[in-house]
Amino acid sequence: MNITEYLRKSGPLLFIWVAICAVLVAVSFEQIASGIGWGPDDQLRQVQLRDWLAGQSWFDTTQYRIGTPDSQPMHWPRLIELPLAIVVLALEPIIGSSAAETFAMTLIPLVALGIAMWLVGKITAQLFERKIAILSAALTATAVPVVAQLRPMRIDHHGWQIILALVALWTMFWPDRRKAGLIMGAALALWLTISLEGLPLSVAFIALLAWRWIISLDEGVRLFWTLTGFLGSSWGLYLVNHGGIDTALAYCDAITPAHLFACAAGAIVILPAIKFAPGSWLLRLIALALAGAAALGIFYFSAPQCVGGAFGQLDPLVHDYWLVHVREGLPIWDQPGREIISLFGGSIIVGLGCLAYIKWRRSDVMAEDKLFLLAYAFLWALIVSLMVQRAASVAAVYALPLVGWAVHHAFLGARELKSPIIRIFATASVVFLILPGPLFLGLVNAIDSGDQDNEAEQVASSTDEPACDSSSSLAKLNALPQSTILAPFDFGPEILVQTPHNVLATSHHRNDAAMADQIRIFASSPEKARDILEARNVRYIAICPGESELNMYAAKHPDGLWAKLSKAEPLDWLHPVHLRDSGLSIWRVVPK
């Protein structure tokens, strides 16, 4: 393909991507200017990147500035940091390390967004005509859960999970079953290596291939090479990330040797069965059952502590005070109404309605088998997203081909109306088909904006200090001698980004011993809290009084340390510290 042909085919999508990037950069400019990731996970990934570039081993992901002296390795592999590191190393000699880091944190998520848009277009092209494929790709920018994970300064792993989910679905449409199987297996292996959150959908894809092999031998080739690609890629990625096989690893939140040995045990049974293709569906079912039993048996005996899930070993105190309050990990019914509308009231609800319409009213739209593949992946992703809020991004991106079809035909239908007034109104109403939920929320917010503006003005006039949870306030901690600081869980990563200080704990579960101690400090009597602070060598407490984490301690433990501090009860071993232009409440811990 020459350059002219390539630009003819890819030019419109490239132009749309550039325009979307410009908008996202403008909208995110304040965050970009701060040089700090959006949330705790982005910020800790930023710290992990800096540590690696500063000389920490590729195989060592321990955050030594969290929870000393028993710091734990992060469950994130360094693979996500590779593209960021390449950009930083390339630009650092030219623009300096800080600017290079910010540029990388801006560019890489936008490149990932472009890849996601391209994949959406490729999947849609398997189902509909090219102009609908381009429209669906462009509508990626309207899927709120997707853009939230693929915007500048969002360097967490969720964006790459979206891309790998799209790759897995795309391969299901490929006629070359061997190639499709190898690519799908590799994509699923990489997805699970990045995060075990991909397990439900990985199981769903392989289960579909296995079922098709049982009822018909047609999918045997695709299943064989998917399992082969998955097993080989999983072992290879594990060795790349860890440098060897360490059977002593006891973590349950990432791929471990126990997972690999279990997959190998199942493969020893099922791969020969697929290769020799028994003619009886019953024999194929038995072979599949034996493979599953072998895998589960090996996993149970190798890592019985992981049978209950990734958080089975979490300290009960951390589970009750932290994990059950992590909103992105909770089901839909535990989310605020506005967030439900924002996340699910866009491509997901429109895609669901469009799928029902096509199935029962327009069966001529596409081949039945292609509709089934799209519907199967979308509905599985939707079910998972109802159970875990952060999974909504995959469901949203799977719905985009259906949304593109709906918007295209709604627009054509509106243009065919004879009355000019009705035609204009109907054409404008297509916008509500793209973003019904966010537009509804925008309307509600516009009605309520008057009261909110008055409240904001009152708050602004009541103090000249910056918000205590702002980046500028946390940066003022640089004025303190380098030490270990006790701060709310979500403050920890930003303190690590902006200062040389250590923190007792962050909202990252592998350091659950430190997290449990932090909870005990705030919830215990001042005497007991002081003992823990002394044992952990904590020299400063820096908090924002309105934090929900702290409100919980005060409500549950009215005699605890934080309850007394929130009532301004003086303690002779805690000396208040005031930092100019900082809204934080800070105390210095006086050693015994």
Side-chain angles (χ1 to χ4, degrees), residues 27-200:
V27 171
S28 308
F29 184 77
E30 185 176 348
Q31 195 70 34
I32 295 171
S34 74
I36 302 170
W38 283 99
D41 287 355
D42 304 300
Q43 293 154 8
L44 200 54
R45 175 72 71 179
Q46 194 174 353
V47 174
Q48 189 165 302
L49 171 67
R50 289 178 182 178
D51 291 344
W52 178 38
L53 294 178
Q56 188 170 345
S57 169
W58 168 274
F59 304 114
D60 181 12
T61 58
T62 302
Q63 284 302 317
Y64 294 101
R65 294 167 62 199
I66 301 175
T68 54
D70 55 348
S71 306
Q72 300 296 311
M74 293 296 296
H75 62 290
W76 300 331
R78 292 204 185 275
L79 294 171
I80 299 301
E81 293 151 37
L82 269 175
L84 294 165
I86 291 171
V87 175
V88 171
L89 292 174
L91 296 180
E92 188 175 24
I94 304 171
I95 60 176
S97 59
S98 179
E101 180 184 84
T102 301
F103 187 86
M105 293 174 66
T106 302
L107 175 66
I108 296 303
L110 294 176
V111 171
L113 174 63
I115 296 171
M117 292 172 62
W118 179 77
L119 287 168
V120 168
K122 287 292 184 181
I123 292 170
T124 309
Q126 302 292 324
L127 309 165
F128 307 116
E129 54 192 304
R130 181 172 176 269
K131 56 186 175 183
I132 297 179
I134 295 175
L135 176 60
S136 297
L139 290 175
T140 305
T142 68
V144 174
V146 178
V147 175
Q149 307 296 349
L150 292 168
R151 53 182 166 161
M153 308 304 286
R154 181 65 169 160
I155 57 172
D156 192 12
H157 55 272
H158 295 294
W160 295 105
Q161 291 186 87
I162 294 171
I163 290 173
L164 294 168
L166 287 168
V167 171
L169 175 58
W170 184 29
T171 63
M172 292 293 290
F173 297 98
W174 294 6
D176 186 338
R177 295 174 181 176
R178 180 177 180 274
K179 180 181 178 182
L182 285 171
I183 298 299
M184 173 183 270
L188 296 181
L190 182 54
W191 189 356
L192 293 177
T193 298
I194 291 173
S195 173
L196 280 181
E197 293 172 4
L199 185 59

Side-chain angles (χ1 to χ4, degrees), residues 549-580:
E549 176 190 336
L550 300 173
N551 294 337
M552 178 175 55
Y553 301 140
K556 291 187 176 183
H557 303 277
D559 294 324
L561 175 66
W562 172 244
K564 292 185 177 298
L565 289 177
S566 65
K567 297 173 186 175
E569 294 186 21
L571 296 170
D572 58 4
W573 54 274
L574 284 181
H575 291 180
V577 176
H578 179 72
L579 295 180
R580 185 177 179 182

Side-chain angles (χ1 to χ4, degrees), residues 142-145 340-351 399 403 433-438:
T142 68
V144 174
I340 294 173
I341 295 172
S342 180
L343 293 176
F344 292 85
S347 63
I348 293 177
I349 192 66
V350 175
V403 178
L433 192 61
I434 300 173
L435 284 170

Side-chain angles (χ1 to χ4, degrees), residues 284-534:
R284 296 196 290 274
L285 181 60
I286 292 172
L288 191 64
L290 289 174
L296 291 175
I298 292 294
F299 185 71
Y300 179 81
F301 288 108
S302 300
Q305 75 277 6
C306 298
V307 174
F311 299 103
Q313 297 172 286
L314 198 65
D315 187 298
L317 195 65
V318 178
H319 177 277
D320 295 341
Y321 280 79
W322 172 73
L323 183 62
V324 297
H325 298 286
V326 179
R327 205 161 66 191
E328 66 175 20
L330 298 177
I332 185 175
W333 48 86
D334 287 331
Q335 307 296 330
R338 287 174 180 263
E339 188 153 345
I340 294 173
I341 295 172
S342 180
L343 293 176
F344 292 85
S347 63
I348 293 177
I349 192 66
V350 175
L352 197 59
C354 182
L355 181 63
Y357 177 79
I358 292 174
K359 176 64 179 174
W360 285 289
R361 298 292 298 274
R362 291 288 302 275
S363 58
D364 60 318
V365 168
M366 71 178 89
E368 188 71 21
D369 60 331
K370 291 186 175 182
L371 176 62
F372 171 79
L373 289 175
L374 179 62
Y376 178 85
F378 171 46
L379 293 176
W380 259 108
L382 177 58
I383 292 170
V384 175
S385 68
L386 295 178
M387 304 303 295
V388 181
Q389 179 252 61
R390 60 174 163 254
S393 57
V394 176
V397 81
Y398 279 173
L400 287 171
L402 296 167
V403 178
W405 182 88
V407 170
H408 174 73
H409 285 277
F411 183 77
L412 292 181
R415 293 294 301 273
E416 292 175 357
L417 295 173
K418 297 187 179 300
S419 170
I421 296 177
I422 297 177
R423 183 169 64 249
I424 293 171
F425 178 78
T427 302
S429 297
V430 174
V431 176
F432 287 88
L433 192 61
I434 300 173
L435 284 170
L439 287 173
F440 172 76
L441 287 180
L443 198 61
V444 172
N445 291 338
I447 296 173
D448 295 340
S449 63
D451 294 338
Q452 293 175 359
D453 289 343
N454 291 334
E455 292 176 5
E457 289 175 4
Q458 292 173 6
V459 171
S461 63
S462 65
T463 178
D464 294 328
E465 288 190 335
C468 61
D469 60 349
S470 66
S471 298
S472 58
S473 284
L474 292 173
K476 298 299 179 182
L477 294 173
N478 280 299
L480 301 176
Q482 184 176 352
S483 55
T484 298
I485 294 178
L486 172 68
F489 289 135
D490 286 347
F491 282 24
E494 189 166 348
I495 292 174
L496 297 179
V497 170
Q498 295 208 78
T499 77
H501 298 300
N502 298 343
V503 295
L504 175 57
T506 65
S507 52
H508 298 92
H509 62 272
R510 281 203 179 177
N511 282 289
D512 66 328
M515 295 178 74
D517 274 352
Q518 174 156 316
I519 294 168
R520 291 188 184 99
I521 289 169
F522 284 122
S524 300
S525 65
E527 295 76 17
K528 186 175 180 180
R530 188 181 188 185
D531 290 338
I532 302 173
L533 288 165
E534 189 79 14

Side-chain angles (χ1 to χ4, degrees), residues 232-302:
S233 299
S234 295
W235 277 94
L237 288 167
Y238 185 87
L239 292 173
V240 165
N241 285 317
H242 297 276
I245 302 296
D246 184 0
T247 56
L249 284 176
Y251 298 116
C252 302
D253 55 6
I255 293 293
T256 65
H259 294 94
L260 299 177
F261 290 136
C263 291
I268 290 173
V269 177
I270 195 63
L271 291 181
I274 299 172
K275 195 68 175 176
F276 293 108
S280 169
W281 68 267
L282 183 58
L283 289 177
R284 296 196 290 274
L285 181 60
I286 292 172
L288 191 64
L290 289 174
L296 291 175
I298 292 294
F299 185 71
Y300 179 81
F301 288 108
S302 300

